Amino acid sequence: MRVAVIGGGPGGLYFAALTKQLSPHWEVTVWERNAPDDTFGFGVVFSDETLEGIAQADHEIHRAMSAEFARWADIDVRHRGNTLTSGGHGFAALGRQHLLRILQRRCADLAVDVRYRTQAPPAAELAAGYDLVVACDGVRSATRAAYAATFAPDLDERTGRYMWLGTDKVFEAFTFIVDEQDFGTLQVHAYPYDATRSTFIVEMTEDAWRRAGFAEFADRDHPPGTSDEDSIRRCEELLADHLDGHRLIPNNSKWLRFTTVRNTTWRHENVVLLGDAAHTAHFSIGSGTKLAMEDALVLAASLHEHPDVPTALAAYEGERRPVVESTQRAAQASLEWFEHIDHYTGQDPHQFAFNLLTRSRRVTYDNLRVRDEGFTTAVNRSSTVPPMFRPFPLGGLLLRNRVVVPPTALHTARDGVPGDFDLVHLSTQAVGGAGLVLAGMTAVSADGRATPGCPGLWNEEQEAAWRRLTDFVHGQSDTCLGIQLTHAGRRAATTHGDGRPVAASALAWDECGPVPREADRADMDALVRDFVTAARRADRAGFDALELQYGHGHLLSGFLSPLTNRRTDEYGGDLDGRLRFPLEVLRAVREVWPAGKALLVRISAADWAEGGTTEADAVAIARALAEAGADAIDVSTGEVVAHEKPRYGRSYQTPYADLIRNATGVPTIAVGAISTYDDVNSIILAGRADLCGVGRAQLHDPLWTLHAAAAQGYQGPAAPWARAWRAGSGRPPSARADRIPPRLELLRRPAASVHRRWLPRTAVPAHR
């Protein structure tokens, strides 16, 4: 095998070393345009997981790295004059230049041909002369650009600004500095990497950056290799209280915008991308060097394990892509959190610190509690009640806990009349412990059903059937019961062939469905009457809460989204026009719905399609709905258009509930792939939402809330067991559960401290 590597950074060198170690007879050549002693960047952070992989793969590299590491376990959050510390995390860092020297020496020992100060030939030329070309040529990869038609890159450049710097102040822990200035919030990500230096990344939003005057400095000519010295001096002045007389150290440091790199595929014939050329993840969640070295390990292993290059490259991408995409989801959540940091700076310092630490959804309430119970105790203000089991006032109701069973489409009704299965479903969910249970997708008229099996509330028979159900449930539990009212609009076209459905505009749901007719004034008047009549019936039927469906492509959702509202009258056009009819419906329902009950509205805060609802639109919609009488916003996304492309993942919709809640102060319900009590506790305690909708997990286990209480050792009024089931409220015994382990230590080991600081022996004098 003849292998060409473009780029002699950590990813390229590590791959070359591992490949040569596994196959000494292979010819491995690395082209690196810089000199061996050139370096860009400062410290590199590694997780324990990555280090274990390095130790297993190449003991020599791991041993050399370990000798250079700065190690610590604490994270400090500096906010409004407070420094709050969370321990038990575990970090290892070293200078990028040290890392390169280690990898360069290892490549030399293994007889890798590394050609420094040499520009690599074009990828096509290398591909013709080598069996494999590995492109480690960075974010601006020329190789990726050369084969863009195959790789199909997606380069998501954000608007925020950041600058990568160093400092001779040696921080003792990973330190987040959140500094509120008159121009906005300035944040710093800082961490030590040796006895004399720390990495120091300054970041702010575009608006704050411009108001601070940095645009003037950035507009000046800064030749390659030079730094924006004026901006650096300004940062030193602004952050003087945190630098304690130390200086900021540049290295080709200029203001940048972060670009998330994604590719449809990482391979083209015998050319493959590795590291930043293939993918990037925001620096607030991880190290690009770490990801590149993990790529290198898997690629080298795949070449060793498979008989030919195409099979090996497919195996490499198949193994690495899910890992990378998981990291990118976490990084995207972290990136967006910092983009909206001004929404959180007004929080109590303890809640703010918890919010920051759990921003990516990888670190959770339980995770932090295990690492540093003292920290979570302080955030909880010493309360022993898990956040999910704290009561919440919703309209005229007081929910006993923060768990909501969201509306579920059961499709079991006949002629819109709910039957025995609806009774079983809702009563089981109610005695299962949730604070609020919602009956789903109930049509306000016969032609407003999405399917023939959807329930309705347009006649007396249906009202009576619902009354039977609520009487039974309220006789068994004090859980609040709600019902969602909707008209499916153009989505009714997917199942009904008799007549044309009514919608905001004459747009079919998909190419197979009929084109609906655009609602005229008479239609809209009738729809308002239908919603008002159904709301009155819901009240008489004994429901405690009412939810209006303004999302998921149903009729009122169709008015809100620019993708589905193409009207040219006063009910279309800008957002005020698109809001007009949904607000008419809400105000009319608010007039007849009792003040002592709760009125919710579900929206799709994103359409997951180009040209759809923006974040600013979602915030404005929520604010308008609250002003018109909604007690809370149930924040979902998508299902507005058939060509949507959602980015699914664990609690993937929560950022939208977070955005709306913290931008408007309106209570929100977070929904979407929330399935663990740990996630519910994390969302509530961080202030991302007031309530959590747990859907599929409740279908899997209707007693999910009660089992969550038992798992956390909570026994209280927020999670009452039905008397007939009380014997099952404790955890059942399991194999060896009754075993008591013997003492096997003669001398007890002292408990390990959860806090560890980086305190190098070398004294670092303060100077400028």
Side-chain angles (χ1 to χ4, degrees):
M1 279 278 289
R2 300 183 72 230
V3 181
V5 181
I6 304 174
L13 292 174
Y14 188 49
F15 166 76
L18 293 178
T19 301
K20 197 69 173 175
Q21 180 190 138
L22 290 172
S23 302
H25 57 288
W26 286 12
E27 177 187 329
V28 181
T29 306
V30 180
W31 280 266
E32 170 52 48
R33 65 183 180 181
N34 296 311
D37 54 351
D38 289 344
T39 186
F40 301 99
F42 296 93
V44 179
V45 179
F46 292 94
S47 66
D48 290 341
E49 182 179 56
T50 303
L51 292 175
E52 288 174 6
I54 294 173
Q56 184 276 331
D58 193 311
H59 176 71
E60 289 299 315
I61 291 176
H62 182 264
R63 181 185 57 78
M65 288 174 63
S66 297
E68 302 279 0
F69 278 146
R71 291 185 180 272
W72 69 95
D74 285 353
I75 297 177
D76 289 347
V77 179
R78 299 185 183 183
H79 172 233
R80 294 194 171 182
N82 300 281
T83 298
L84 300 178
T85 301
S86 172
H89 297 275
F91 293 97
L94 78 165
R96 190 173 188 273
Q97 191 168 25
H98 288 311
L99 176 61
L100 285 172
R101 287 174 180 166
I102 291 167
L103 295 172
Q104 288 165 359
R105 287 196 299 267
R106 185 59 173 152
C107 283
D109 292 343
L110 293 167
V112 174
D113 180 7
V114 183
R115 302 178 183 181
Y116 298 107
R117 302 185 182 89
T118 306
Q119 187 72 38
E125 181 181 326
L126 291 173
Y130 285 79
D131 299 294
L132 174 66
V133 178
V134 182
C136 312
D137 48 352
V139 174
R140 297 174 181 83
S141 169
T143 308
R144 185 182 64 226
Y147 297 110
T150 300
F151 294 130
D154 172 15
L155 308 180
D156 179 14
E157 184 180 66
R158 310 302 288 195
T159 59
R161 304 282 185 147
Y162 73 97
M163 183 183 291
W164 206 288
L165 297 161
T167 178
D168 55 5
K169 175 180 172 60
V170 182
F171 286 88
E172 296 181 3
F174 204 116
T175 304
F176 290 101
I177 299 169
V178 180
D179 195 276
E180 295 173 84
Q181 301 278 348
D182 56 358
F183 55 78
T185 302
L186 183 154
Q187 63 254 20
V188 173
H189 312 249
Y191 57 87
Y193 62 85
D194 63 23
T196 62
R197 295 286 187 270
S198 298
T199 295
F200 197 88
I201 307 170
V202 182
E203 184 184 26
M204 63 188 77
T205 65
E206 175 82 4
D207 289 343
W209 181 80
R210 291 192 176 279
R211 287 193 296 266
F214 286 112
E216 176 188 349
F217 303 144
D219 288 341
R220 298 172 185 172
D221 183 38
H222 301 291
T226 65
S227 298
D228 183 350
E229 296 287 351
D230 292 318
S231 288
I232 295 166
R233 299 289 81 78
R234 171 83 165 131
C235 288
E236 280 186 336
E237 294 169 3
L238 292 170
L239 295 163
D241 290 345
H242 302 284
L243 288 169
D244 301 324
H246 291 267
R247 64 190 176 101
L248 293 178
I249 303 169
N251 184 339
N252 193 30
S253 301
K254 303 177 183 69
W255 290 110
L256 303 170
R257 290 188 175 100
F258 188 82
T259 299
T260 300
V261 175
R262 300 180 180 89
N263 287 278
T264 302
T265 183
W266 301 345
R267 59 194 196 277
H268 170 77
E269 297 177 351
N270 65 336
V271 178
V272 66
L273 303 178
L274 186 149
D276 285 354
H279 50 72
T280 59
H282 193 252
F283 51 81
S284 63
I285 198 62
S287 161
T289 299
K290 165 189 175 295
L291 287 175
M293 292 181 69
E294 290 175 350
D295 283 354
L297 187 150
V298 174
L299 179 56
S302 297
L303 290 166
H304 181 71
E305 293 166 352
H306 296 280
D308 55 69
V309 168
T311 306
L313 298 188
Y316 155 68
E317 184 169 351
E319 182 173 342
R320 281 297 292 163
R321 181 176 285 278
V323 177
V324 168
E325 289 179 345
S326 174
T327 300
Q328 286 185 318
R329 284 193 295 271
Q332 189 73 10
S334 180
L335 179 157
E336 292 173 359
W337 191 93
F338 281 109
E339 286 181 336
H340 297 109
I341 194 170
D342 288 335
H343 292 164
Y344 313 115
T345 51
Q347 289 183 326
D348 168 85
H350 284 89
Q351 185 182 42
F352 177 84
F354 179 84
N355 196 343
L356 188 155
L357 293 176
T358 59
R359 68 195 179 281
S360 72
R361 304 194 291 274
R362 281 194 163 182
V363 177
T364 63
Y365 173 80
D366 255 14
N367 188 268
L368 285 176
R369 187 167 56 84
V370 170
R371 296 184 189 199
D372 184 354
E373 190 168 8
F375 175 79
T376 51
T377 298
V379 176
N380 268 323
R381 298 186 180 278
S382 299
S383 173
T384 59
V385 177
M388 65 183 292
F389 291 116
R390 296 171 189 171
F392 183 74
L394 181 65
L397 306 177
L398 181 64
L399 304 185
R400 63 167 178 255
N401 62 48
R402 306 300 185 95
V403 181
V404 175
V405 178
T408 302
L410 301 176
H411 307 295
T412 57
R414 291 187 177 182
D415 297 324
V417 179
D420 290 343
F421 193 88
D422 296 86
L423 174 66
V424 171
H425 169 74
L426 290 176
S427 59
T428 305
Q429 298 288 355
V431 296
L436 173 64
V437 176
L438 294 169
M441 217 156 76
T442 306
V444 298
S445 62
D447 60 1
R449 290 174 291 170
T451 74
C454 289
L457 198 45
W458 66 81
N459 62 37
E460 292 183 1
E461 182 183 6
Q462 295 158 357
E463 180 183 327
W466 285 118
R467 183 78 216 192
R468 165 178 169 262
L469 187 151
T470 61
D471 284 347
F472 178 81
V473 173
H474 284 142
Q476 307 300 318
S477 168
D478 63 353
T479 296
C480 294
L481 277 183
I483 189 168
Q484 183 192 74
L485 297 182
T486 189
H487 187 293
R490 71 187 193 131
R491 296 204 67 174
T494 61
T495 54
H496 296 299
D498 50 340
R500 295 171 65 195
V502 66
S505 295
L507 298 172
W509 167 251
D510 56 29
E511 60 185 13
C512 299
V515 177
R517 58 186 176 83
E518 182 174 291
D520 59 21
R521 184 65 258 179
D523 292 322
M524 289 189 279
D525 289 341
L527 286 163
V528 172
R529 288 194 297 271
D530 288 342
F531 272 95
V532 168
T533 300
R536 287 194 172 109
R537 290 187 184 280
D539 178 32
R540 293 196 297 266
F543 285 102
D544 308 298
L546 182 68
E547 178 172 278
L548 301 180
Q549 172 62 290
Y550 281 23
H552 295 180
H554 286 217
L555 186 135
L556 293 168
S557 169
F559 277 87
L560 291 173
S561 172
L563 296 178
T564 52
N565 185 337
R566 304 291 177 81
R567 302 176 70 99
T568 58
D569 62 5
E570 61 182 333
Y571 292 97
D574 62 12
L575 183 58
D576 287 341
R578 302 198 306 273
L579 266 165
R580 194 180 306 276
F581 182 59
L583 290 177
E584 287 180 8
V585 174
L586 174 57
R587 292 188 183 108
V589 169
R590 179 75 275 181
E591 287 184 7
V592 302
W593 187 249
K597 298 185 177 185
L599 179 57
L600 319 174
V601 181
R602 170 171 278 213
I603 67 170
S604 287
D607 298 338
W608 300 111
E610 186 176 355
T613 301
T614 66
E615 289 186 354
D617 288 344
V619 169
I621 289 168
R623 186 177 283 116
L625 294 174
E627 291 172 356
D631 295 314
I633 307 299
D634 188 351
V635 186
S636 186
T637 65
E639 298 185 51
V640 174
V641 290
H643 61 278
E644 66 174 1
K645 293 182 179 179
R647 291 181 179 172
Y648 294 114
R650 182 174 128 256
S651 60
Y652 71 107
Q653 296 179 143
T654 298
Y656 294 94
D658 184 351
L659 171 69
I660 289 171
R661 180 186 189 273
N662 287 292
T664 67
V666 178
T668 60
I669 304 173
V671 299
I674 300 171
S675 58
T676 69
Y677 64 78
D678 191 19
D679 281 336
V680 175
N681 283 328
S682 300
I683 291 167
I684 300 302
L685 191 57
R688 298 188 179 103
D690 301 281
L691 301 163
C692 285
V694 180
R696 294 191 180 189
Q698 291 273 177
L699 293 178
H700 175 75
D701 175 11
L703 305 189
W704 183 91
T705 306
L706 295 179
H707 291 157
Q712 296 173 84
Y714 172 77
Q715 294 180 338
W721 282 76
R723 179 174 298 179
W725 288 354
R726 200 163 294 162
S729 62
R731 288 184 174 181
S734 58
R736 298 176 63 84
D738 59 346
R739 178 181 181 271
I740 301 175
R743 175 173 175 171
L744 300 175
E745 292 179 322
L746 179 61
L747 298 176
R748 294 188 188 276
R749 298 177 183 177
S753 173
V754 299
H755 296 292
R756 181 179 179 181
R757 316 288 285 181
W758 172 238
L759 299 171
R761 295 178 182 177
T762 305
V764 183
H767 61 86
R768 293 189 66 81

